Amino acid sequence: MNRRKAIALSGAGVVGVAGGALVARNAFDSPASAASDAVPFYGANQAGIVTPAQDRLHFVAFDVVTKSRDRLVEMLREWTEAAARMTAGRDAGLIGAVAGIPEAPPDDTGEAIGLPASGLTLTIGFGPSLFRNADGVDRFGLAARRPDALADLPKFPGDALEAEISGGDLCVQACANDPQVAVHAVRNLARIGFGVVSVRWSQLGFGRTSSTSRDQATPRNLFGFKDGTANLKAEEEALLREWLWARSGDGPSWMDGGSYAVTRKIRMLVETWDRTSLMEQEAIVGRSKGSGAPLGKKDEFDEPDFAVKGADGELVVGEVAHVRLAHPDQNAGARLLRRGYNFVDGSDGLGRLNAGLFFIAYQRNPHKQFVPVQLALARNDVMNEYIRHVSSALWACPGGVAEKGDFWGRALFA
Amino acid sequence: MRTPRLFALAAAGVLAGGALAACSDDSGDEAAAGGPITVNATDSLCEVATTDVAAGTVTFKVTNKGVKVTEFYVYAAGDRVMGEVENIAPGLSRELHVELPAGTYETACKPGMIGKGIRGPLKVSGSAAPLTDNAALAAATESYQRYVKSQTGALLEKTQEFVTAVKAGDVAKAKELFPIARTYWERIEPVAEIFGDLDPKIDGREEVIEEGMEFTGFHRIEKDLWVTGDISKSGPMADKLMADVNEIVAKANAEKLSPLQLANGAKELLDEVATGKITGEEDRYSHTDLWDFNANVEGSKAAIAALRPVLEERAPDLVKTLDTEFANVDTTLAKHRAGDGWKLHNQLTQAELKELSDAINALAEPISKVAAVVAK
């Protein structure tokens, strides 16, 4: 139902508006240019994974608080409808932010009135605890459907995880080019979910720190370095098949066309980094800060040469340089699709920026991809001196919502 | 593009039974019946576009053209608050919808949100059918008014016992009676809040007291009891509390409530829990917030119970949801029983408070839909 129709109907008291009269005070804007920046919601894969990385993030993790499987499924239906509307640049509910009766709260919160779709994507994921919670209870009869790939992540050396900002039963990744649009989407989903889910933690991000498309320039993280040069890109279809999308035979069929997301909140100790010499910063990363080229090479996209030694007889790209430890050649070819964001959560009371990277990586199987890479990094990376992993979560993001009527999690709960 | 849809409901039509059926989706018409009355508020003026309106639900659109944050009020005789919008920042517009029977009223802008405000007359004439012309809604308000009366009776009695203990210097007894007296207050708080300046005198917290005002009421005595433990000079404060409670009870018992006040009151009681009690800021010295919490929920339940026949007829699914969520709040809260009362707020873990917060949110969201059903 398009927006115009919804209003006409609501005026006649059909979709739940009290049988009153609506008096238009303003004409509609022309819908001609409607949602030209909208990302299609329906499809074989969920949007928000290979979609060219938008500039802003609002990521939210929920705990399921209801005991009723039916209520959970019903909420997922409502969420999906609201998500389809909001990603198209519409209000979360059928009535909208200002067309209802004045005595009742509106079914959209209204802060996105007048804003375009802004490339909003909403991507859902299911956490291991949805299938069996910390006490081992199979709350919703899903334990048998948990993919092996969703087994809990191991503890990595040096992890300083805070339980209250880690894990969760469900997540929604909202990415948009306007932070207000991303926040609006999460706020409305949280509201629809009251009584069924409760927000466990959430994270705002800005300044995408990876590119998921060749059309995008490589952005910089808060250490000032280009990040994600070797990231999987939307155009690399063969690599995406190999490393990104779960397929038939990988695990339970409800994950076909889906992908697994690892999220890590990585606090960066930017003040100490900033008083580290340029030479040391570049040695730690293994790339030059200006061009992003691997040390010993000229251009950003030149392949690093891990064997070459300098005049001093030392390796140009050190044994423990970040780029070496993370490189596919050192990790059985493992690739990840990263779409992380910088964050600054104000300052920490000691006068330091509470800042860092909210790392998000999608992959076909985290235990074969993220885990070995992160183990290598956690053990050896000199960068660990300047970072702390404070939050961690793992999510199974199912395939796309095929069409209207289909909903997030339908195959899982079927 | 999200279309800016600046619709105004012909609210009078809705409340009178929805006879107007015009739905004009392309041509705006500001002059249509029920269109808002514009109010231009500056730091020194309060220009209300018309001072003569028809009875029913009246909508004001208040635009703050001054540099101070302002408020707008409609007062009936004796400064009874019929409706208010607070915190209108400079440059912003806010709407106020208020159901007004025929009579004479005053409007007021309060630049800087202080003082008596810039007053002007407002005449309301004619006779829009009030919601209570509906027999079921009339019965609902009568039923709720009986509830208010029962609570105000107990409020007077328990406040008197509390005041007597304070004046006798009996700290232990006064501490014991403090949350009990407040229970009756907290059950009917939205009714009390109708009487603008009395509520802060009785229940104002220390931080809301502005210069020139005295910190009085329950929380002042609470501070004496728990912080210094010295109530030797609290007698006059106790007498003042009793006088203010007597005054508000007389007013509350005489007040004719509208069914919308019941619906919104039920929601406001839960909002009180969500903003003040969960955080422990209400009873910050005694930490007896869970007593208030339970009383707010009981008051909310009473208002919904009064509306129940109407809701069952118009929105049976909503009633089911409310029953489930009220039961969930009760179960969750019951974990924190201590004897005849409740654990202290600072004895609960963050996880326990979150669980309570989730339960309240799960109830408050469907309760916020009750007003629309009542106005139908």
Side-chain angles (χ1 to χ4, degrees):
Chain A
M1 192 179 316
N2 67 31
R3 179 170 286 176
R4 179 179 295 255
K5 188 118 179 244
I7 290 162
L9 282 173
S10 67
V14 173
V15 288
V17 170
L22 292 167
V23 177
R25 285 201 276 134
N26 274 22
F28 284 106
D29 276 0
S30 158
S33 65
S36 57
D37 63 347
V39 176
F41 179 73
Y42 300 106
N45 309 118
Q46 287 197 70
I49 299 177
V50 295
T51 306
Q54 303 91 323
D55 202 49
R56 303 291 181 137
L57 169 78
H58 191 182
F59 191 97
V60 59
F62 296 92
D63 290 326
V64 178
V65 293
T66 186
K67 292 188 176 76
S68 160
R69 178 174 162 132
D70 289 347
R71 283 192 72 189
L72 176 56
V73 170
E74 187 50 37
M75 184 206 71
L76 289 168
R77 270 183 207 278
E78 286 178 43
W79 268 11
T80 309
E81 283 171 23
R85 281 194 289 268
M86 290 191 288
T87 52
R90 298 189 162 90
D91 286 326
L94 278 171
I95 299 168
V98 288
I101 68 162
E103 287 80 9
D107 68 8
D108 179 278
T109 52
E111 73 271 31
I113 292 174
L115 297 176
S118 307
L120 174 70
T121 54
L122 294 167
T123 312
I124 197 169
F126 302 116
S129 53
L130 184 71
F131 298 81
R132 212 182 266 289
N133 70 11
D135 301 326
V137 181
D138 177 8
R139 291 173 292 168
F140 304 107
L142 296 173
R145 318 203 76 184
R146 182 171 109 166
D148 293 342
L150 197 63
D152 289 327
L153 297 174
K155 185 188 175 334
F156 297 101
D159 271 4
L161 304 182
E162 297 167 26
E164 60 276 16
I165 55 168
S166 294
D169 295 330
L170 295 174
C171 75
V172 175
Q173 170 197 277
C175 296
N177 293 317
D178 182 330
Q180 181 115 340
V181 170
V183 166
H184 168 262
V186 166
R187 174 175 166 192
N188 280 278
L189 294 180
R191 182 183 163 173
I192 290 168
F194 277 137
V196 181
V197 293
S198 162
V199 172
R200 181 179 174 86
W201 54 271
S202 72
Q203 182 66 51
L204 288 173
F206 65 92
R208 60 182 173 85
T209 59
S210 27
S211 330
T212 52
S213 158
R214 283 189 188 139
D215 295 339
Q216 296 180 302
T218 311
R220 289 180 187 273
N221 60 29
L222 292 181
F223 281 161
F225 279 77
K226 291 196 172 196
D227 202 337
T229 296
N231 203 22
L232 282 176
K233 302 282 198 293
E235 296 84 356
E236 299 170 322
E237 288 173 18
L239 287 173
L240 297 183
R241 271 196 300 279
E242 180 62 26
W243 296 108
L244 182 66
W245 301 119
R247 64 171 88 141
S248 178
D250 280 357
S253 60
W254 65 267
M255 268 301 287
D256 292 355
S259 190
Y260 295 88
V262 172
T263 60
R264 309 274 291 182
K265 181 172 181 173
I266 305 171
R267 171 89 188 267
M268 290 175 162
L269 308 177
V270 294
E271 290 81 4
T272 32
W273 178 262
D274 292 345
R275 43 182 183 257
T276 303
S277 74
L278 177 63
M279 195 173 74
E280 190 176 341
Q281 289 182 8
E282 290 186 334
I284 289 169
V285 176
R287 290 182 180 274
S288 77
K289 196 167 186 176
S291 66
L295 293 182
K297 299 283 179 151
K298 244 180 86 212
D299 293 320
E300 181 192 348
F301 293 99
D302 290 347
E303 272 301 307
D305 185 338
F306 294 124
V308 67
K309 293 184 176 175
D312 56 0
E314 299 289 327
L315 288 166
V316 170
V317 177
E319 282 292 344
V320 291
H322 190 78
V323 69
R324 178 189 293 268
L325 295 169
H327 198 274
D329 290 356
Q330 311 292 316
N331 293 284
R335 304 286 301 269
L336 301 166
L337 182 129
R338 283 179 287 159
R339 48 160 48 237
Y341 287 84
N342 296 321
F343 71 85
V344 176
D345 297 346
S347 46
D348 68 357
L350 297 174
R352 309 180 300 184
L353 283 186
N354 189 350
L357 171 69
F358 190 75
F359 171 96
I360 305 174
Y362 286 91
Q363 61 230 283
R364 191 171 152 201
N365 186 334
H367 294 277
K368 294 179 179 161
Q369 295 167 254
F370 172 78
V371 170
V373 174
Q374 180 56 28
L375 272 175
L377 289 170
R379 284 177 185 142
N380 302 311
D381 193 354
V382 187
M383 199 184 279
N384 292 333
E385 207 174 303
Y386 301 93
I387 60 177
R388 302 278 180 274
H389 287 242
V390 293
S391 147
S392 178
L394 175 61
W395 312 99
C397 306
V401 177
E403 57 192 357
K404 205 168 162 44
D406 189 11
F407 63 94
W408 278 338
R410 184 183 51 78
L412 171 60
F413 288 92
Chain B
M1 188 76 185
R2 265 168 254 265
T3 316
R5 289 179 321 206
L6 297 177
F7 281 86
L9 254 189
V14 171
L15 296 172
L20 289 161
C23 174
S24 146
D25 71 354
D26 277 316
S27 61
D29 186 0
E30 287 275 0
I37 298 164
T38 56
V39 178
N40 283 325
T42 70
D43 294 344
S44 56
L45 292 172
C46 186
E47 297 170 346
V48 182
T50 171
T51 56
D52 205 340
V53 301
T57 295
V58 181
T59 304
F60 295 91
K61 186 179 181 187
V62 186
T63 305
N64 184 0
K65 297 182 174 169
V67 297
K68 292 179 182 166
V69 175
T70 196
E71 296 174 324
F72 180 75
Y73 284 80
V74 177
Y75 289 109
D79 277 3
R80 196 154 54 84
V81 178
M82 300 300 289
E84 58 174 291
V85 275
E86 299 177 75
N87 276 317
I88 311 170
L92 286 192
S93 292
R94 295 275 301 275
E95 288 199 353
L96 168 67
H97 307 273
V98 53
E99 191 184 2
L100 297 175
T104 51
Y105 301 87
E106 276 189 322
T107 52
C109 301
K110 290 191 185 175
M113 308 205 292
I114 48 165
K116 303 279 285 176
I118 305 160
R119 302 282 182 120
L122 179 71
K123 186 165 164 241
V124 178
S125 42
S127 61
L131 284 169
T132 43
D133 274 10
N134 174 303
L137 287 173
T141 56
E142 277 162 30
S143 154
Y144 186 70
Q145 258 145 354
R146 282 194 296 278
Y147 175 77
V148 170
K149 228 174 190 134
S150 73
Q151 297 306 305
T152 53
L155 173 63
L156 288 176
E157 197 180 305
K158 293 297 169 189
T159 307
Q160 187 60 61
E161 288 176 23
F162 173 64
V163 163
T164 305
V166 171
K167 291 176 71 178
D170 189 340
V171 173
K173 182 120 192 251
K175 280 183 167 181
E176 191 186 312
L177 286 166
F178 172 79
I180 296 171
R182 289 183 56 75
T183 295
Y184 302 96
W185 168 265
E186 291 286 334
R187 281 186 187 146
I188 56 165
E189 198 169 6
V191 181
E193 285 178 348
I194 296 169
F195 311 107
D197 56 344
L198 268 172
D199 176 55
K201 284 181 189 165
I202 296 170
D203 198 32
R205 300 198 291 261
E206 199 168 3
E207 76 277 9
V208 307
I209 308 302
E210 55 183 85
E211 221 173 298
M213 238 176 98
E214 203 186 353
F215 177 30
T216 63
F218 278 117
H219 296 301
R220 168 62 188 268
I221 302 173
E222 178 197 5
K223 188 175 181 184
D224 294 344
L225 281 169
W226 270 272
V227 176
T228 61
D230 176 9
I231 52 171
S232 60
K233 296 188 187 67
S234 308
M237 208 49 81
D239 283 336
K240 178 163 171 41
L241 172 66
M242 197 63 233
D244 289 337
V245 168
N246 268 311
E247 192 183 342
I248 210 163
V249 163
K251 286 189 172 180
N253 287 346
E255 182 69 12
K256 283 266 167 273
L257 294 171
S258 109
L260 278 171
Q261 280 173 315
L262 263 65
N264 285 321
K267 180 189 77 78
E268 283 159 20
L269 280 162
L270 299 180
D271 291 346
E272 285 274 332
V273 175
T275 55
K277 275 75 178 188
I278 288 282
T279 57
E281 67 193 79
E282 175 84 30
D283 299 313
R284 64 188 60 163
Y285 314 111
S286 64
H287 307 298
T288 54
D289 302 88
L290 256 50
W291 294 72
D292 294 18
F293 184 127
N294 185 52
N296 285 156
V297 172
E298 285 171 341
S300 182
K301 211 185 273 176
I304 295 298
L307 290 167
R308 190 173 185 100
V310 181
L311 298 179
E312 274 181 342
E313 189 189 309
R314 297 181 184 178
D317 285 352
L318 182 59
V319 176
K320 254 185 253 163
T321 306
L322 293 177
D323 286 349
T324 309
E325 297 301 348
F326 266 120
N328 181 40
V329 168
D330 288 345
T331 314
T332 311
L333 190 57
K335 295 179 188 173
H336 309 296
R337 271 269 173 210
D340 290 340
W342 303 92
K343 281 187 201 158
L344 299 180
H345 182 274
N346 54 1
Q347 293 173 322
L348 268 58
T349 65
Q350 196 59 36
E352 287 168 333
L353 291 170
K354 170 116 188 308
E355 188 188 32
L356 284 170
S357 173
D358 287 344
I360 284 296
N361 281 332
L363 173 60
E365 183 60 26
I367 271 195
S368 73
K369 298 186 168 114
V370 171
V373 177
V374 169
K376 212 186 279 193

